[in-house]
Amino acid sequence: MSNIRKVTEDIYWLGVNDEGLELFEEFIPIPEGVVYNSYLLVDEKTVLFDTADIRVVDEFLASIKAALDGRTLDYLVVQHMEPDHSCCIQHILETYPDVTIIGNEKTFLLARQFGVEIENESIQEVVDGESMTFGKHTVVFTFAPMVHWPEVMMSFDVTEGVLFSADAFGSFGKLVDGKLFSDEVDYETDWIEPARRYFTNIVGKYGSHVQHLLKKIEAFEVKMILPLHGLIWRENLGYFLDKYDKWSRYEPEEKGVLIVYASMYGNTEKAAQSFSELLKAKGVEQVATYNVSNTDASYLVSETFRLSHVVIACPTYNLGIFPLMHNYFLRLKELNVKNRTIGIIENGSWAPKAGDIIHDYFDKELKEMTVLDDRVTIISAMKEMNDPEIESLIDALVESLQTS
Ligand code: FEO
């Protein structure tokens, strides 16, 4: 696959798929891979927007050289200092010693913290809203702090309506068959899940900052969005902007029930699966059921952002809750997830405690959660005596789905 493609008459995509990276940020599995995007504006001046991860430095530098086609690089705009986009800055400085690096005060602070050897005469510091003209293209630098690092800024090419959006509007997933634009793929089938998982796990904590950003870019006539990961948007931008709006307001995309269960010997699993079937039989179309022991928390987080209701089915463990379930809860708290309705199925063989702990956690540690009073308590294994509680919890969920 070529690593260069024209995006507009003067803007080139330079991207490299990372084929071998298993864990993004060393903890989030990415079986779908990831691509590092950067972009080159070729005008009277040549301007590179961000670099790439050191893992792909050779391909990246070769792409720049090819896209420059004999010209030198005049500017490098550093929109984001996280190393997956900034690790090659030093290589750019060495390859193009006359390059000027454009960034903000925090950019250069972080660059030096990360050990980039950068002379004062090689930098141009910009402030929020400042613009620069590189020929026929004028670019406005728009700061987007905490989306998702403090130094993040975006660049809006006023001339062509192109928003270089840094990590925002990005996605996990490598490019396949050179398909670079969201309108070249079946986005709903192949890309929305990795995009959601990317947003929720990487940017999810900073919903209010994303809301601020969305309002800020309303002032621009954005025709294209060029993120640092994933696909470029040039059509149907409203679809993805709406997803970002919902995710960053912690508003569910769909009414439905996520069932997350933990089960040491299969009894809670049996209860969760049976509960799932009963919900479907009651006409709930969106039911997604996951075992916390074989599902990475990043997927559970993503599904929690997608759906409106969550049922936790969990055994009592050391008079607490199952450790991997606890890890999922910690992730929800860390990412500021709110505004969901929670149902509880607890299990315990001699002292069922999980239900109270789960109730307290969602009530006190997380915000704007509604914990249903109806609870199922299983003693070791589900029996007929549990039927009324199960019926009651299902009725409460169905009523809540209908009225919320
Ligand atoms: Fe893809 Fe925040 O770096």
Side-chain angles (χ1 to χ4, degrees), residues 17-236:
N17 278 334
D18 191 330
E19 302 283 353
L21 188 70
E22 291 182 2
L23 296 174
F24 194 79
E25 294 184 350
E26 285 299 326
F27 80 108
I28 299 173
I30 46 166
E32 61 276 82
V34 71
V35 58
Y36 310 113
N37 298 330
S38 73
Y39 302 95
L40 182 72
L41 168 65
V42 178
D43 199 337
E44 286 173 23
K45 298 291 182 187
T46 57
V47 187
L48 180 67
F49 293 86
D50 291 304
T51 69
D53 195 284
I54 200 70
R55 293 164 54 85
V56 299
V57 61
D58 292 340
E59 285 162 279
F60 176 64
L61 290 174
S63 296
I64 297 169
K65 189 175 173 198
L68 282 169
D69 195 22
R71 293 182 63 179
T72 191
L73 183 65
D74 297 309
Y75 292 97
L76 166 63
V77 179
V78 178
Q79 303 187 114
H80 185 21
M81 268 307 301
E82 190 160 12
D84 55 335
H85 308 292
S86 67
C87 262
C88 301
I89 295 176
Q90 196 69 55
H91 295 77
I92 294 290
L93 281 163
E94 285 160 15
T95 312
Y96 305 99
D98 294 328
V99 71
T100 297
I101 300 188
I102 298 171
N104 57 58
E105 189 183 358
K106 290 191 175 80
T107 315
F108 297 117
L109 178 73
L110 284 167
R112 289 181 171 123
Q113 280 179 202
F114 276 109
V116 181
E117 292 166 18
I118 189 168
E119 304 294 334
N120 279 341
E121 49 270 27
S122 300
I123 69 173
Q124 180 155 349
E125 197 174 299
V126 293
V127 296
D128 192 16
E130 188 170 336
S131 63
M132 284 182 70
T133 298
F134 300 104
K136 65 182 185 198
H137 288 257
T138 295
V139 172
V140 180
F141 302 105
T142 299
F143 290 12
M146 301 321 297
V147 184
H148 62 127
W149 277 30
E151 85 298 356
V152 171
M153 62 182 200
M154 300 184 181
S155 311
F156 181 62
D157 180 342
V158 180
T159 313
E160 295 201 278
V162 170
L163 180 68
F164 299 93
S165 65
D167 266 349
F169 307 107
S171 176
F172 295 136
K174 66 179 178 184
L175 304 192
V176 178
D177 298 333
K179 290 174 183 167
L180 173 63
F181 296 90
S182 63
D183 53 276
E184 295 178 323
V185 301
D186 184 341
Y187 203 86
E188 274 290 334
T189 302
D190 297 328
W191 279 88
I192 189 63
E193 190 280 323
R196 183 188 297 110
R197 201 161 65 88
Y198 173 85
F199 175 88
T200 55
N201 285 277
I202 305 297
V203 191
K205 179 179 179 65
Y206 302 106
S208 61
H209 296 83
V210 175
Q211 279 291 307
H212 184 65
L213 169 70
L214 291 173
K215 289 195 175 53
K216 229 173 157 181
I217 62 175
E218 270 176 16
F220 300 140
E221 276 188 50
V222 179
K223 295 181 184 145
M224 293 179 105
I225 299 176
L226 278 55
L228 291 177
H229 300 288
L231 302 175
I232 292 174
W233 289 83
R234 63 182 174 186
E235 286 182 14
N236 203 11

